Amino acid sequence: MNKGIDKKIVKRGLLPYLFLVLAMLGILYFAGIGGKKVEELTYDQFIKELNDGNIDKLKLTAHGSAYIYEVNGKLKDSKENEFFVATLPLSDEVVKKIDEASSNQDFEFVAIADPESSTLLLIVVNVLPIVLLVSAAFWFLNKQLAGSKSSLDFGKSRARLSSDKNKVTFKDVAGLKEEKEEVRELIDFLKNPKKFQNLGARIPKGVLLFGPPGTGKTLLAKAVAGEADVPFYFISGSDFVELFVGVGASRVRDMFQQAKRNAPCLIFIDEIDAVGRQRGTGLGGGHDEREQTLNQLLTEMDGFGANEGIIIIAATNRPDVLDPALLRPGRFDRQVTVNLPDVREREEILAVHAKNKTLADNITLENLSKRTPGFSGADLENLLNEAALLAVRRNKDKITMSEIDEATDRVLMGPAKTSRKYSESDRKLVAYHEAGHAVVGIKLKNASDVQKVTIIPRGTAGGYNMMIPTEEKLCSTKTDLLEQITGLLGGRTAEEVVFGEITTGAHNDFEKATKIARSMVTEYGMSDLGPLQFEQKDGSVFLGRDYNKSQHFSNEVANEIDMEMRKIINDCHAQATDIIKKNIDLLKLIADTLLEYETLTKEQIDYLVENGKMPEEDESNLESLSVTKLREIAKEKGIKNANKLTKAELLKELDV
């Protein structure tokens, strides 16, 4: 392979030299070297040849500016490629001799007037090359500037002005009732500033929106501009920072100059933490370009100059890393937390995104909102979009609950890996593991409702158990956290009780349980060590959020923390073991049903717990049928090897 590459490189390197040689040969050929032989005659030699009658062809060209005649011709005894040239003085005597010889000897004679006497030729020869050269240079320069426009506007603002086509109002923003009230004053000020000025009120110069990703911070800022009907400039924090020092500060100045010309207006800076991080921090000092940009932003917001009518709205996911000078009154006077939506707000958000979607009659947005705790507005929009895509893929004219369930799983865990082959022993192990989670969740008094149990692998999980709190709480009690840990340990406990063996399948459960237990001891004060906080999550601004937690304890206390964590985990494990052993029949019932159906919904689980069997199967919905029933239907339709196919393969063969 390397030899082939070397040959290509050698050939590529020889091509320019070969082209140069060919070009030189062509020039030499057309210049007469090797192509034709030219002999230069003196005046006397030319007159002698003329008088002797040896001239065969003759061309005479006058050059008035040089006072000469240029003669080109061919002698009678010369070969085909032999010619002569001569230079004669510009006189009538020369012309007279040539005329007499041509009339007596009858050779071919051509006389050409002075080419320099032609105005057109003079322009072509002298002016046209200069025009072409200047035009080529101008075209090349213009192309370079068009290709790298930033070479001239390097310090210009990258803020873009929002168009009226994409106008957003508060009607397009579902939920966020309190957040809307906080920013409504900005709209009133932009519409009627005198009302505030008469009472001596100063409107906030800046509003900082912070919260988890996807909660609607950018949408809320667009709605403020849409409601106020004022120019809306938007820019990302990363658009300020460049390689060269001073460019970011220049862009900040230019942005505020544009805003002043269009005041009153709004400026929205998304992800402001890219430019607003604390100054003078990090390994090796600060970042000079970013800090200069931040200094200019601080000066423009509340420096020596006044920016009347300009309101800045910024958004970030990490307010903890912002510089304190940016958050003081006079700059970002108001800080609005945009949290994840509650059940009522989720219903409103779903109503907005469901306007152009056709849902089945048995689907209500209220039930969907209850099934999606912890979902952001972006997650809910993605949920309905995924459900719509699945409905189209399945050739349905409505979105049914089946697509909603599958879309929820996709958003949380990723697409189902139905093609992955598992041995029967692995399927049985996963079924008992997930059944263990379900049994512990069902039997604990304060536990979350078991919404769905499946042994279909998704992502890195062989199966999973979806549990939703019975009601959304602002704070979690110690009992809630202990029962969460117990539920997480239910899968491993079921493996130990049923198989007498443990596997690696519970590693993610242990990760979550350990994190909860450590937080209970070191942050929440829920242990015998007392109401003390030993660790803080802030971490370093530049080294990462959890790279180096702040620790305020000695080595002896560290050992006590480990012992308290172990005690919490062991107590929860003992409780899970007790629940599994007391409800071993329910465990086997759920596990065997999972092996047959692969997925159980809340309604099916409740019926199974109450009646000890599954409800009657509806053959119109093939996805809810057991593997045994699907194989019977497949045999009736003549599908070969139906007994060896999995549920996913059977549904595929049945065009579901």
Side-chain angles (χ1 to χ4, degrees):
M1 184 175 178
N2 291 334
K3 291 182 179 179
I5 294 174
D6 293 340
K7 289 181 180 179
K8 289 181 180 179
I9 295 174
V10 171
K11 290 180 180 179
R12 202 175 296 165
L14 289 176
L15 284 176
Y17 296 101
L18 181 61
F19 177 77
L20 181 61
V21 171
L22 292 175
M24 292 179 64
L25 290 175
I27 293 172
L28 292 175
Y29 177 81
F30 287 108
I33 301 175
K36 60 181 180 178
K37 295 181 180 180
V38 180
E39 181 183 1
E40 187 172 354
L41 302 180
T42 64
Y43 176 77
D44 294 335
Q45 289 174 336
F46 171 74
I47 296 298
K48 182 179 182 304
E49 295 290 347
L50 184 66
N51 294 332
D52 293 343
N54 294 332
I55 303 297
D56 184 37
K57 293 180 181 180
L58 187 65
K59 182 173 71 172
L60 181 70
T61 304
H63 294 281
S65 60
Y67 300 101
I68 60 171
Y69 285 117
E70 182 181 328
V71 178
N72 297 277
K74 184 176 176 61
L75 300 176
K76 290 182 178 180
D77 298 332
S78 62
K79 297 180 180 179
E80 190 66 28
N81 64 335
E82 293 180 346
F83 300 88
F84 74 87
V85 296
T87 302
L88 310 178
L90 186 67
S91 66
D92 295 336
E93 184 181 351
V94 172
V95 177
K96 183 178 179 181
K97 288 181 178 181
I98 295 175
D99 285 338
E100 291 176 354
S102 64
S103 61
N104 295 330
Q105 301 174 15
D106 194 21
F107 59 84
E108 185 179 342
F109 173 63
V110 178
I112 300 176
D114 187 358
E116 297 180 3
S117 63
S118 173
T119 306
L120 179 62
L121 185 62
L122 181 66
I123 294 175
V124 170
V125 173
N126 297 310
V127 179
L128 186 60
I130 299 175
V131 173
L132 292 175
L133 185 62
V134 172
S135 300
F138 180 78
W139 174 83
F140 180 76
L141 181 62
N142 192 37
K143 187 177 181 180
Q144 289 293 107
L145 293 177
S148 56
K149 198 173 181 180
S150 59
S151 59
L152 291 181
D153 60 354
F154 209 60
K156 297 294 183 181
S157 171
R158 300 291 177 89
R160 298 178 296 278
L161 185 63
S162 179
S163 62
D164 293 335
K165 296 180 181 179
N166 301 323
K167 189 174 181 180
V168 178
T169 62
F170 281 160
K171 294 180 181 179
D172 303 309
V173 183
L176 304 179
K177 182 178 179 181
E178 290 76 14
E179 290 80 357
K180 290 178 184 177
E181 291 298 327
E182 287 291 319
V183 297
R184 196 175 294 278
E185 291 179 0
L186 306 180
I187 301 170
D188 294 339
F189 174 78
L190 292 171
K191 288 183 175 180
N192 187 13
K194 291 184 179 180
K195 180 174 68 173
F196 293 84
Q197 295 170 356
N198 291 337
L199 293 177
R202 179 183 62 81
I203 200 66
K205 292 186 177 180
V207 177
L208 179 66
L209 306 176
F210 60 88
T215 50
K217 299 182 291 295
T218 303
L219 188 64
L220 183 61
K222 289 182 179 179
V224 173
E227 291 286 340
D229 196 21
V230 296
F232 177 68
Y233 292 92
F234 59 96
I235 189 173
S236 174
S238 60
D239 288 335
F240 291 112
V241 182
E242 287 285 353
L243 175 65
F244 305 105
V245 177
V247 173
S250 176
R251 289 177 179 174
V252 171
R253 287 191 294 270
D254 186 68
M255 180 181 69
F256 275 88
Q257 288 175 2
Q258 292 183 30
K260 289 176 183 177
R261 290 193 293 267
N262 294 279
C265 67
L266 281 170
I267 298 177
F268 176 62
I269 305 176
D270 199 11
E271 305 298 342
I272 194 174
D273 54 278
V275 69
R277 287 176 175 250
Q278 296 178 19
R279 293 168 288 182
T281 54
L283 295 175
H287 187 292
D288 197 28
E289 159 63 358
R290 183 185 52 75
E291 292 185 3
Q292 284 199 21
T293 306
L294 175 59
N295 291 337
Q296 187 63 44
L297 181 62
L298 296 174
T299 303
E300 293 289 346
M301 288 187 70
D302 187 26
F304 292 102
N307 290 319
E308 295 296 335
I310 301 175
I311 298 176
I312 299 178
I313 302 177
T316 181
N317 301 326
R318 293 205 59 187
D320 55 304
V321 303
L322 296 180
D323 195 273
L326 200 61
L327 303 177
R328 75 159 176 82
R331 291 191 175 118
F332 283 108
D333 306 87
R334 188 168 296 177
Q335 301 175 26
V336 180
T337 305
V338 185
N339 283 321
L340 292 171
D342 57 19
V343 61
R344 178 186 53 80
E345 292 174 330
R346 288 197 299 273
E347 184 177 354
E348 295 178 6
I349 294 172
L350 287 168
V352 171
H353 296 302
K355 286 181 180 178
N356 60 342
K357 296 176 177 63
T358 306
L359 301 177
D361 296 334
N362 62 339
I363 296 178
T364 62
L365 298 180
E366 182 181 359
N367 291 335
L368 285 183
S369 64
K370 292 179 180 178
R371 292 166 57 93
T372 52
F375 277 48
S376 66
D379 292 332
L380 294 171
E381 190 274 336
N382 190 31
L383 169 66
L384 291 180
N385 185 62
E386 287 287 347
L389 293 174
L390 287 170
V392 174
R393 191 181 305 170
R394 296 173 179 177
N395 296 320
K396 295 183 178 181
D397 57 355
K398 291 183 179 181
I399 300 173
T400 64
M401 203 63 210
S402 176
E403 285 76 46
I404 294 292
D405 285 337
E406 176 65 19
T408 305
D409 296 341
R410 282 172 171 263
V411 173
L412 292 175
M413 304 288 293
K417 299 184 178 180
T418 55
S419 61
R420 182 178 293 177
K421 294 292 185 181
Y422 281 97
S423 64
E424 196 60 33
S425 60
D426 284 341
R427 289 184 75 249
K428 187 175 182 181
L429 183 65
V430 173
Y432 273 94
H433 181 100
E434 299 303 331
H437 287 304
V439 169
V440 174
I442 291 170
K443 293 302 177 181
L444 287 177
K445 293 181 180 180
N446 298 321
S448 302
D449 287 339
V450 180
Q451 294 290 325
K452 187 176 184 179
V453 184
T454 180
I455 59 173
I456 298 176
R458 290 180 183 273
T460 58
Y464 79 99
N465 192 321
M466 182 190 294
M467 302 179 69
I468 297 177
T470 53
E471 59 179 5
E472 296 185 32
K473 299 180 180 179
L474 183 62
C475 298
S476 297
T477 64
K478 182 178 180 180
T479 303
D480 293 335
L481 297 176
L482 290 174
E483 290 190 352
Q484 286 184 34
I485 297 174
T486 305
L488 289 168
L489 298 177
R492 165 59 69 85
T493 305
E495 295 175 12
E496 295 172 342
V497 172
V498 176
F499 301 101
E501 186 62 271
I502 57 178
T503 67
T504 60
H507 71 282
N508 187 249
D509 298 331
F510 295 156
E511 180 183 352
K512 295 178 181 177
T514 304
K515 186 176 181 180
I516 295 173
R518 187 167 190 86
S519 296
M520 290 176 65
V521 177
T522 61
E523 297 178 38
Y524 307 145
M526 295 180 178
S527 69
D528 293 339
L529 295 180
L532 297 173
Q533 188 176 60
F534 299 102
E535 291 180 348
Q536 295 177 354
K537 286 185 177 180
D538 293 341
S540 173
V541 175
F542 283 91
L543 291 180
R545 187 173 300 181
D546 300 318
Y547 187 85
N548 56 344
K549 288 184 178 181
S550 301
Q551 298 181 350
H552 308 287
F553 51 83
S554 62
N555 292 333
E556 291 78 6
V557 174
N559 183 53
E560 293 182 19
I561 291 173
D562 294 338
M563 293 176 62
E564 288 293 327
M565 289 174 56
R566 190 177 294 113
K567 179 183 177 183
I568 291 174
I569 297 294
N570 289 339
D571 290 345
C572 291
H573 182 254
Q575 185 182 11
T577 304
D578 183 60
I579 294 173
I580 293 294
K581 288 182 177 180
K582 289 181 179 179
N583 299 276
I584 192 68
D585 294 336
L586 178 61
L587 176 72
K588 292 181 179 180
L589 177 62
I590 295 177
D592 292 340
T593 308
L594 274 173
L595 290 172
E596 188 69 17
Y597 287 83
E598 291 189 347
T599 300
L600 298 177
T601 63
K602 174 177 170 54
E603 293 76 14
Q604 291 172 328
I605 294 172
D606 293 341
Y607 191 92
L608 187 65
V609 173
E610 185 176 348
N611 300 283
K613 63 178 182 179
M614 288 288 287
E616 293 184 7
E617 297 180 339
D618 181 11
E619 294 190 12
S620 63
N621 185 8
L622 296 180
E623 294 178 347
S624 65
L625 299 181
S626 64
V627 177
T628 303
K629 189 64 177 178
L630 286 173
R631 285 172 178 168
E632 292 177 1
I633 297 174
K635 289 178 182 179
E636 293 175 359
K637 293 192 176 184
I639 297 175
K640 297 179 180 180
N641 300 322
N643 289 331
K644 297 181 180 180
L645 299 179
T646 64
K647 185 174 182 178
E649 292 170 337
L650 288 167
L651 291 173
K652 187 176 181 180
E653 291 292 335
L654 295 170
D655 294 331
V656 178

